[in-house]
Each structure stands twice: as C-alpha cells, then as structure tokens.
Amino acid sequence: MSKVSPKVATLSPQLTWSHFVELLPIDDGLKRDFYAAMCKSEGWTVRTLRNRKNSMLYERTAISRKPEETIRDDIMQLMDQDKMSLDLFYRDPYVLDFLGLKDTYSEKDLENAILAELERFILEMGSDFAFLARQKHFVLDDKDYHMDLLFYHRSLRRLVLVELKLGAFEPEHKGQVELYLRWLKKNEMRDGEDDPVALILCAEKSQETVELMELDQGSIHVAQYLIKMPPKKLLEEKLAIAIIKAKEQLEQR
C-alpha cells in the first residue's frame, strides 16, 4: 500500500479516515494528490470519491494529458489556494449515463434530460457549478440567438457556456460558440471575473480536427459525451491511448 504524500497528509483535518482508506491504494502519486485535492476543494463524501475513482475522473480530465510538472503545479494550486485551472475542470469524455436516454433522441431531449437530472449533471461537471440559464437569448443585427446552457463556476470565476451537439463536432461550431463567448464577455461578464469559456459536448469528435483548430489550448473545449458507460477495461484502454498521444503531441510542439 502506498504512503500518503506530505501534501495529502496536511489535508487530514478536512478528510476522514475513510477518505484515506480510498486514497491509499492509488499507486500513482499525482493521481492520489488529484483526488485528495478534489475532495478538499469540492467537499466530496467518501461515496463520491469512490464513484469518481470508478468513473476514472483523473484520466478523463484534461490535466492527465499534460506534462507532470504542469499536473503537479495545478494540483498544488488547488490544494494550497483553492484555485482550479481549466485543465482540472475540463473532461473528455463526460459520462452522462444517468440521463436514461434511449438510442434515438433530439437535442431538446438531451437538454431536457440534463435539466431533469441537473444535480447529477453538476456533480459530473464539478460541484462548484451554478446553473444560470437555459436557451439564453440575445439579439444581434436583428437576428435571434439562443445559447443552450449557461453556468457559473465559483472556483474558476467564469461563466461557462455548454453547447450540445447530437452528431460529430463540425468546424463551424467553433465560429458559433466564439460569437456567444464574445457576447457574454461584453454583456454578462462582471468585475473580478475571468473571460467566459465554452464546452461543446458532442456525440463524436475527430481529435485531429480539434488539434488543427487549436481547440485544446483556448477558451473553447470540445468533448465527447457518453450516454452509456462502456466496460471499464475498454474505457481504461481508450483513455490510456488518448493520454499517451496527447503527451506525444505536446513534446512535438
């Protein structure tokens, strides 16, 4: 059984012995520190911690695809300053199996299901999420626009736009969401907040397209959502390959 790192040990006033029982078997020190920091920041119960481990939350976060130094720095900022980075916030894929969607559904069905299960959706996204609006409406050049879901994240101090797409990610989605973000920055952002960010949730995506459009670096993040949890072994294999490829691409930049 692994030893608790000094950083994790300093969290003992915030974590129970049962938390440590869940954390100790994690061999990877960075992964263990990640779960400990998230427990402290988001007030996870032991059951939530166990569920997050089982759903491979660490491997699904953008931070797992970064260099070890970046991972360590971001985790330490979360532990010491309660400051969450976008890489700790973003995930891919998002597991939305609790929505109970069948094989055929519309974007409206997806949106309705998310709102009906809003508490569980927010838990998947992160507990510092606050729901603000559905189909946020604005008019530009006499044309009506509607944003799917608008949230605010307390730790990030940002508005977070969530756009839902039934099919695969298409390049034109970027232009649509960039317009929404610019409007939010001009009309909704308040003093002390950082610039709004967007999450495009789609049924499929081409990683090559996402990388070519540099959407893994800016204010727009593209992620796949799953309405059914795949077998854990298959998910482990897919995430391991994705992490290796992402780190190889970072080294080539």
Side-chain angles (χ1 to χ4, degrees), residues 117-163:
E117 295 287 350
L118 191 57
E119 182 179 2
R120 294 177 71 178
F121 178 74
I122 286 175
L123 284 174
E124 169 64 11
M125 304 293 281
S127 62
D128 266 356
F129 241 41
F131 175 62
L132 296 182
R134 172 191 192 181
Q135 292 295 306
K136 175 74 173 178
H137 172 253
F138 70 96
V139 179
L140 185 64
D141 293 330
D142 296 323
K143 185 175 180 181
D144 291 301
Y145 294 90
H146 296 85
M147 307 178 201
D148 286 343
L149 299 169
L150 186 62
F151 295 85
Y152 182 76
H153 196 283
R154 294 174 60 197
S155 296
L156 293 174
R157 295 183 304 139
R158 298 174 188 261
L159 292 167
V160 180
L161 168 66
V162 178
E163 282 293 305

Side-chain angles (χ1 to χ4, degrees), residues 15-251:
L15 304 181
T16 67
W17 174 249
S18 297
H19 284 98
F20 284 104
V21 170
E22 288 292 329
L23 292 167
L24 280 169
I26 303 174
D27 291 327
D28 186 312
L30 286 176
K31 189 192 301 188
R32 186 169 58 249
D33 288 348
F34 164 82
Y35 282 114
M38 293 295 283
C39 282
K40 172 183 176 290
S41 177
E42 300 198 343
W44 287 356
T45 64
V46 175
R47 181 179 180 182
T48 300
L49 169 59
R50 190 176 299 122
N51 289 340
R52 294 294 173 269
K53 284 172 54 185
N54 289 339
S55 71
M56 303 186 66
L57 177 62
Y58 174 77
E59 288 82 358
R60 292 191 289 117
T61 56
I63 196 67
S64 67
R65 292 152 172 78
K66 301 294 181 179
E68 284 194 8
E69 185 177 350
T70 301
I71 299 173
R72 189 173 293 107
D73 288 346
D74 281 10
I75 291 174
M76 291 307 103
Q77 283 194 14
L78 183 60
M79 278 190 180
D80 296 338
Q81 305 170 33
D82 204 24
K83 182 179 179 182
M84 179 173 287
S85 69
L86 284 173
D87 286 332
L88 284 170
F89 165 68
Y90 285 137
R91 294 138 200 211
D92 188 24
Y94 287 82
V95 180
L96 308 181
D97 55 337
F98 53 84
L99 296 181
L101 291 166
K102 305 301 180 184
D103 291 336
T104 304
Y105 55 91
S106 66
E107 282 185 12
K108 186 175 181 180
D109 293 334
L110 177 58
E111 190 175 307
N112 286 338
I114 287 174
L115 291 175
E117 295 287 350
L118 191 57
E119 182 179 2
R120 294 177 71 178
F121 178 74
I122 286 175
L123 284 174
E124 169 64 11
M125 304 293 281
S127 62
D128 266 356
F129 241 41
F131 175 62
L132 296 182
R134 172 191 192 181
Q135 292 295 306
K136 175 74 173 178
H137 172 253
F138 70 96
V139 179
L140 185 64
D141 293 330
D142 296 323
K143 185 175 180 181
D144 291 301
Y145 294 90
H146 296 85
M147 307 178 201
D148 286 343
L149 299 169
L150 186 62
F151 295 85
Y152 182 76
H153 196 283
R154 294 174 60 197
S155 296
L156 293 174
R157 295 183 304 139
R158 298 174 188 261
L159 292 167
V160 180
L161 168 66
V162 178
E163 282 293 305
L164 308 171
K165 304 297 179 185
L166 285 188
F169 170 74
E170 300 291 346
E172 55 263 31
H173 296 156
K174 179 185 178 184
Q176 174 197 11
V177 171
E178 281 179 334
L179 175 65
Y180 292 172
L181 288 179
R182 290 181 185 274
W183 187 90
L184 286 170
K185 182 176 179 179
K186 181 180 179 181
N187 296 280
E188 296 288 332
M189 197 171 89
R190 297 182 180 180
D191 292 341
E193 294 180 357
D194 291 324
D195 288 357
V197 294
L199 171 64
I200 301 175
L201 280 178
C202 47
E204 300 174 27
K205 69 167 189 172
S206 163
Q207 191 60 34
E208 187 176 358
T209 300
V210 169
E211 289 162 6
L212 185 62
M213 299 181 74
E214 298 183 347
L215 289 173
D216 55 345
Q217 304 174 46
S219 58
I220 301 173
H221 182 74
V222 180
Q224 184 183 10
Y225 64 85
L226 304 176
I227 62 168
K228 294 180 181 178
M229 185 70 163
K232 188 171 182 180
K233 185 176 181 181
L234 176 61
L235 184 61
E236 286 175 345
E237 292 172 352
K238 290 180 68 174
L239 290 174
I241 292 170
I243 291 170
I244 291 170
K245 285 185 176 179
K247 291 191 174 182
E248 287 175 348
Q249 286 153 2
L250 279 174
E251 291 173 358

